[in-house]
Each structure stands twice: as structure tokens, then as C-alpha cells.
Amino acid sequence: MTTTTAATADAPGRSFRPLAGVLTATAVSVTGTRVSAIALPWFVLATTGSATMTGLVAFAEMAPYVAVKALTGPLVDRLGPRVVSWTTDAVSAVAAGLVPLLHARGLLPFWVLLVMVAVIGAMRGPGDLAKSVMVPEAADHARVPMERATGLSGVTERLASTIGPAVGGGLVALIGPLAGLAVNAVTFALGSLIIAVALPRGMGRSAVPATAADEPSVGSGVASGMGSGVASDGGGQPAGYWRMFREGFTFLRSEPLLLTVIVMIGITNLIDAGFTTVLVPVWARESGNGPAAIGLASAVMGATAVVGSLIAAAVASRLPRRTVFFTGFLLCGAPRFLVLALDAPMWLVLTVFAIGGFGAGFLNPILGAVLFERVPRHLLGRVHALGDSLSWAGIPLGGLVAGAAVAMVGLIPSLIVGGALYFATTTLAGLRPEWREMDRRRGLVGPAGRTGGTGHAGGPAGAAVEPAPVRSS
């Protein structure tokens, strides 16, 4: 017997427009971010020559990203993710555009750059959260299985992660890093416009219970009913911010699997952040390969990640999640660090990155499906915000740690230690019993706590992603 979610059953007809809008805006946003991920570190290295200052800029962006994202979950649930997404992207576009403009006029001392980067990070946090939260409702409108929707989201992110580095590396090599920063500003503006125009007003608002009486018990794992409108304290007044925040925290604390995932991804994201923002740019400079090599390696990894995500979107619902998940991490983790440490020829570097990208393509679709199955729809903003922020908490420190490590012991020892820690983290974490839960709730949906006979979207990650309460960055 086929069952569908409430959102799907109430819809007048199948519509792909919301899903296409969310995916397109995500693609534009990720592309710009990946361009900036090459342009900004290279700009700092070129103007300061300091790996430590490069790490400091990464910290200035990611610390506000994580902190603000953690606190904006209740606001996303109350205001609606559509509004939050287009407004934060608009602010980010202004801040990103000021960087090349101020530099061209000689008005960009280092502390001003840190401020601009911090503003971008603070806006990106809730903006990325809002786009992720809209995926399950968009999947409802399109009437597609949740793993397929998260797989398509993963494909979109990975494809953008392929195009972005290629564009960024080419722009930096041919024109200079400021061109890449200008492109980042344009993509923020375009993403804001897409969300504002393509998505229905109030996207995501219908998933919030109308009153306290309608709310499922927090910590039950699956919601028992759904209402509409905004959260209430039971007397007709909207629930307070801290009550909404506490409900998300209480639910997350009751989920051992999600907590275990957060800890593991938090460690790997910290290591990945140092690798991407410091170790790879320093390798490119010391090896003589230059910024084009960064873009080429990232583009190759992104291209094979797209293939992995496409396969995940097509067949992940029939694969053993736990096995595929840890195999993906085995391929995409330590080998990247070791191949750079060995000063291998470029063809071998690209081969290792290509294999790693294929494995990485499976990660976020699996994480996203697990999240959307286990979290009630009306709590998605809060739980996703907390989970993402906790799992990304180490990212601001990644650049600082990597920069300090390079300054103290050099590039090669830093790469070897980073790869060893990555391997140990992903291997040891897989031995914990909580991971068995990955395959035990397949087909359950967060909003109504029931199974969909045909796998229709029902209740949603990523990095993230480079996206789950946690995402591989």
C-alpha cells in the first residue's frame, strides 16, 4: 500500500520547480564559494607570503559561519528558509563585492579583509542551512524518493565543486585572485535572485506545528503528527526563541547515531579544512605547480564525485549504507595527504584525487537521507543548524592548526600526520555499534512517522559537504 507525506498528499499536482530552484541556487552558491576557496588563500599568500595569516583568514570566515549557523535554526524554522536564504545571500554579495573594490582603491588593510570575510561567513551559515532545509519539502512537491533528492543535491554540490575550482584556478592564474573574489560576489547575488523568484512564498513554513498540542514529543525520533503555521506555546502565542532552540538540542541529544556521526565528521572536517585552505596552497607554491594545479586537482576530484553522487542517487536506496559510507571515506581521506607528501608527479596526484572524489560522492547523499528520516520536519532547521555547526566546529581551527604546523615542522610532516589522523578517525569510528542504525529506519520519514511504500519523499544532508545534520566538507 502506497503512503505519501502530508505535504505531497495536499499538493494540487507534481511540481519540479521548487526542487529545481533549490538545486540551482545551491549550484550557484557552491560554485562561487569554491572559486573563492582558491582565490582568497592565494590572494593572502601573494600579498603577505604567510601561511599563518592565510590560516587566520580561513578562521575569520569559518568561525562566524559555525557560530551564527548554530544559533539561527529557530529563526529559519520561524521566518521560513526561503526568506533567510535570499536575504543572507544578498548581504554576502555586498560584502564579497567590497573586497576587490576596496583593494583596488588601496583601502583594504588586513584587518578590514578579516571583517569582510567574517561578514561573509556569518551570512553563509544561515544561507546554506536554509537551502538544505528546503530540500525535503521540494522533494515532496516533486514526489521523488528522499535518497534520490539528497543524491541530486549531492550531485549538484559536487558538480559545482568541479566547475568552481576549475574556474577559480584559471581566473587566478590568468587574471589574478581579485577576479575570483569578484565572481564570488556575483554568484551570491544570482543565488539570492533565484531563491526569491523561483520558490513559492512561505517555503518551509507549513512544516511547523500550529500549537504545542500538535507537537510530537521531542526525542521520540519520529514525529507523530503535523500541523501548520508557526510554533506556539499552547496559548496562541509563538514559542520563544530559546524554547525552540532547546527543543532542537533535546532531540539531537536523544539520537546516538547522529551524535556519533557529528563527532567523526567534526574531526575529518577539521583536518580537511587545514588541507584545503593551507596545505594544498602551500604545496602548489612549493612544488611550482601554482594555482592552476589547485584548480585542476579539485576539478578532477569534483568530476568523479559527481559520478559517485549520480550512482548514489540512482542506487543508494538499495545499497548497505554503512559499508558504502566507510568505503567512501577510505577512498577520499588519507590517500590525498600521502600523495602530496610523496611529491608524486601530477598524473598520480590527479589519479588519487579522482578515486577520492568518487568515494566522496556517496557520503552526503547517505548522510542526508539518514538525517531526513530521523528528524521531524518541524525541527529540521534547529536540529540541522546544531548538527552542522557542531560537525563544522573544527573547520575554523583547521587553517590555524595547519598554518602553525607548516611553520613549525614543514609541509611534508604536516601532510603525513594529517593523513594518519584521518585514517585513524574514520576507521576507529566505524567500530561503534551506533552505525548499525544507518540501515534500520530506511523508508521512515520524519514528518509523519510512517513508511512510504514507493519511497516518496517524506520527512531529509550535505558539505558538504560539502551537505545531513552533518556534512563532509
Side-chain angles (χ1 to χ4, degrees):
M1 180 176 179
T2 300
T3 59
T4 60
T5 64
T8 302
D10 294 339
R14 189 177 192 181
S15 173
F16 287 96
R17 180 176 175 180
L19 184 59
V22 172
L23 296 181
T24 302
T26 299
V28 170
S29 174
V30 172
T31 298
T33 300
R34 295 297 182 263
V35 170
S36 177
I38 293 178
L40 186 58
W42 199 261
F43 173 71
V44 179
L45 277 174
T47 54
T48 68
S50 170
T52 302
M53 295 182 79
T54 303
L56 183 59
V57 170
F59 176 82
E61 180 178 9
M62 295 312 302
Y65 179 100
V66 171
V68 174
K69 191 174 194 177
L71 297 173
T72 51
L75 297 180
V76 170
D77 284 338
R78 175 173 292 179
L79 299 177
R82 174 182 172 273
V83 172
V84 172
S85 179
W86 76 259
T87 53
T88 54
D89 279 358
V91 176
S92 294
V94 174
L98 284 174
V99 173
L101 180 62
L102 292 175
H103 180 75
R105 294 178 175 273
L107 300 174
L108 189 68
F110 189 69
W111 70 268
V112 173
L113 175 64
L114 292 179
V115 171
M116 292 296 100
V117 168
V119 171
I120 294 171
M123 294 297 101
R124 268 188 58 213
D128 288 353
L129 169 65
K131 292 179 185 65
S132 297
V133 168
M134 288 187 284
V135 169
E137 185 178 343
D140 286 346
H141 286 289
R143 300 182 185 177
V144 299
M146 186 53 59
E147 282 166 320
R148 184 165 300 165
T150 57
L152 289 173
S153 179
V155 170
T156 300
E157 292 187 12
R158 298 302 184 180
L159 184 59
S161 296
T162 303
I163 297 172
V167 172
L171 281 174
V172 173
L174 296 175
I175 305 176
L178 290 180
L181 299 178
V183 167
N184 191 30
V186 172
T187 58
F188 275 127
L190 183 57
S192 175
L193 182 63
I194 291 171
I195 292 294
V197 172
L199 271 62
R201 293 183 180 275
M203 185 87 169
R205 296 290 296 278
S206 61
V208 186
T211 66
D214 294 329
E215 295 183 17
S217 59
V218 175
S220 63
V222 180
S224 61
M226 289 299 299
S228 60
V230 295
S232 166
D233 63 5
Q237 298 297 321
Y241 169 87
W242 289 111
R243 176 188 165 184
M244 296 177 70
F245 186 90
R246 185 172 62 253
E247 287 172 348
F249 179 80
T250 302
F251 177 86
L252 184 59
R253 190 175 58 184
S254 72
E255 284 285 337
L257 173 60
L258 297 185
L259 291 175
T260 303
V261 173
I262 286 170
V263 172
M264 189 193 82
I265 300 296
I267 297 172
T268 59
N269 277 348
L270 183 151
I271 301 171
D272 273 325
F275 181 78
T276 302
T277 61
V278 176
L279 298 183
V280 172
V282 172
W283 164 82
R285 185 182 64 176
E286 293 189 358
S287 66
N289 290 310
I294 305 175
L296 181 59
S298 298
V300 167
M301 187 171 183
T304 55
V306 170
V307 176
S309 294
L310 283 171
I311 295 174
V315 303
S317 59
R318 299 190 295 273
L319 296 176
R321 287 176 177 171
R322 184 183 181 186
T323 302
V324 172
F325 184 74
F326 285 102
T327 301
F329 262 120
L330 184 64
L331 295 177
C332 76
R336 291 175 296 140
F337 292 78
L338 298 182
V339 75
L340 297 188
L342 293 173
D343 195 25
M346 196 63 193
W347 68 266
L348 184 56
V349 172
L350 295 179
T351 301
V352 170
F353 273 60
I355 295 172
F358 180 76
F362 288 84
L363 301 181
N364 285 343
I366 292 175
L367 288 173
V370 169
L371 168 72
F372 294 145
E373 287 170 355
R374 304 183 77 88
V375 181
R377 185 73 59 84
H378 75 285
L379 292 175
L380 265 180
R382 283 161 274 180
V383 175
H384 197 147
L386 287 167
D388 247 9
S389 298
L390 291 172
S391 63
W392 284 44
I395 290 180
L397 301 175
L400 292 176
V401 172
V406 171
M408 289 189 295
V409 301
L411 175 63
I412 293 178
S414 299
L415 286 167
I416 293 174
V417 172
L421 289 174
Y422 209 110
F423 177 79
T425 298
T426 55
T427 302
L428 295 177
L431 301 177
R432 293 193 59 84
E434 291 88 348
W435 294 100
R436 300 191 190 102
E437 294 294 321
M438 269 189 146
D439 290 289
R440 287 182 179 171
R441 284 195 185 174
R442 301 183 85 133
L444 289 178
V445 297
R450 52 192 179 188
T451 55
T454 61
H456 284 313
V465 327
E466 316 191 289
V470 295
R471 289 189 301 174
S472 166
S473 67

